[in-house]
Amino acid sequence: MADEPLWAPSQERIEGANLTRFARQAVRDWRLGFNDYPAFYRWTTENPEQFWDSVWKFAGVRASAKGARVLVDGGLMPGARWYPDARLNFAENLLRRRDASTALVFWGENRIRRRLSHHELYEQVSRVAQALRALGVKPGDRVAAYLPNLPEAITAMLAAASVGATFSTCSPDFGVRGVLDRFGQIAPVVLFAADGYFYNGKRIDSLEKLREIAAGLPSLKRVVVAPYASDRPDLSPIPGAQYFADFIADPVRNQRSVRIIKNNALFVIEPAGTLVNFRDDCI
């Protein structure tokens, strides 16, 4: 009895699965002489270049250039490089849908509920990206976020990616010192934040901490605040602060485009812990 699975998919579900479609396409494309999952899995691990080339094709990755090379220095870790000649944009690939279907659903502890369609998400990302460009943000610059899991966190990340900037985040429950230890090392030019957040039914204000953080980051050109814990928080004590809605409101910027740019570091992911100095992991 213990060896019996708790659940197994029906044959109909297996036939309709993306994994099944992908495996069959790869078997056809590479003329593989098997038709069972263990053999397919073994092929994926023993032939990484063929496997990832199949993933690229199956996923329909959008790129201005792919290049002939799939993997360079594959035996090195770290040091292996995937698609070194490719030129693509992460945000464009995630924003390919522009219809009215749901892209994001946000619930803030049963207090606030929001929904964004794929079209609305694309429009908002486009406006944020244009505002970043108007501010002079360029490929290689850093954009940071001190945000709870709001839709604005996703749009800020995608907008930063679309202009070639590198994105990094800290949770709003971090203290001022912890945020400055992390963001101080990457010198962000823009900081996205919220006025506060909710935890266990309580409203937690972030504005005083945000004031100290902004004052401790001389690289900042702008602090963009998304009201969340209140409707119209007072931003006057925070140097360079602007409401999110005002940041994206200039109609001159509304070109509604997300451009492809060359490869860049996408994220700086900070390791957990309380050390003052640490090594960043870049993706």
Side-chain angles (χ1 to χ4, degrees):
M1 185 70 177
D3 294 333
E4 295 182 8
L6 295 176
W7 176 85
S10 66
Q11 190 60 38
E12 181 181 8
R13 184 179 287 247
I14 292 172
E15 288 295 321
N18 278 333
L19 179 58
T20 303
R21 291 175 48 233
F22 168 67
R24 288 176 176 170
Q25 178 177 295
V27 167
R28 289 194 303 269
D29 288 348
W30 299 105
R31 299 181 180 179
L32 305 176
F34 50 74
N35 191 31
D36 62 278
Y37 182 78
F40 179 71
Y41 176 78
R42 187 165 56 252
W43 170 79
T44 68
T45 60
E46 294 175 353
N47 301 272
E49 294 186 47
Q50 291 182 356
F51 169 68
W52 285 106
D53 220 33
S54 293
V55 171
W56 180 296
K57 177 181 177 180
F58 184 79
V61 174
R62 296 183 177 183
S64 57
K66 180 183 178 184
R69 297 185 296 172
V70 176
L71 176 61
V72 174
D73 295 328
L76 299 180
M77 180 57 71
R81 292 182 297 145
W82 293 95
Y83 293 99
D85 306 310
R87 294 293 179 266
L88 57 83
N89 188 275
F90 181 74
E92 191 208 15
N93 277 275
L94 293 186
L95 294 168
R96 64 182 69 190
R97 291 182 62 175
R98 313 280 171 82
D99 56 35
S101 62
T102 300
L104 300 176
V105 175
F106 171 73
W107 283 30
E109 287 210 355
N110 291 325
R111 293 170 179 263
I112 300 171
R113 300 182 185 183
R114 292 167 58 192
R115 171 192 172 276
L116 264 69
S117 68
H118 284 94
H119 174 74
E120 291 168 332
L121 178 62
Y122 176 83
E123 290 289 303
Q124 189 169 106
V125 171
S126 178
R127 283 180 170 269
V128 176
Q130 290 150 29
L132 291 174
R133 291 191 189 102
L135 198 60
V137 178
K138 59 187 184 301
D141 284 343
R142 276 76 60 204
V143 173
Y146 184 56
L147 283 167
N149 290 324
L150 298 173
E152 287 81 2
I154 295 174
T155 57
M157 179 275 291
L158 290 170
S162 77
V163 302
T166 301
F167 192 73
S168 188
T169 68
C170 277
S171 170
D173 60 1
F174 274 40
V176 173
R177 186 71 264 159
V179 176
L180 292 177
D181 287 344
R182 287 159 173 78
F183 289 166
Q185 297 184 55
I186 64 173
V189 294
V190 178
L191 175 64
F192 288 88
D195 61 319
Y197 59 97
F198 298 100
Y199 178 74
N200 198 25
K202 297 180 180 179
R203 178 185 179 277
I204 311 295
D205 186 83
S206 297
L207 290 177
E208 178 56 30
K209 290 195 296 182
L210 183 58
R211 182 190 65 79
E212 295 182 55
I213 291 166
L217 294 172
S219 58
L220 288 178
K221 296 180 179 180
R222 192 66 49 87
V223 178
V224 182
V225 180
Y228 174 46
S230 58
D231 292 332
R232 193 75 177 175
D234 180 15
L235 304 185
S236 58
I238 303 170
Q242 185 177 20
Y243 292 114
F244 184 91
D246 294 339
F247 183 63
I248 65 173
D250 190 343
V252 174
R253 301 173 183 150
N254 193 18
Q255 305 164 24
R256 301 186 181 184
S257 63
V258 178
R259 296 182 296 181
I260 301 174
I261 53 87
K262 67 180 182 180
N263 277 335
N264 257 306
L266 183 60
F267 302 123
V268 174
I269 300 175
E270 316 290 5
T274 57
L275 296 177
V276 173
N277 295 305
F278 49 80
R279 179 175 176 176
D280 297 333
D281 294 319
C282 296
I283 296 177

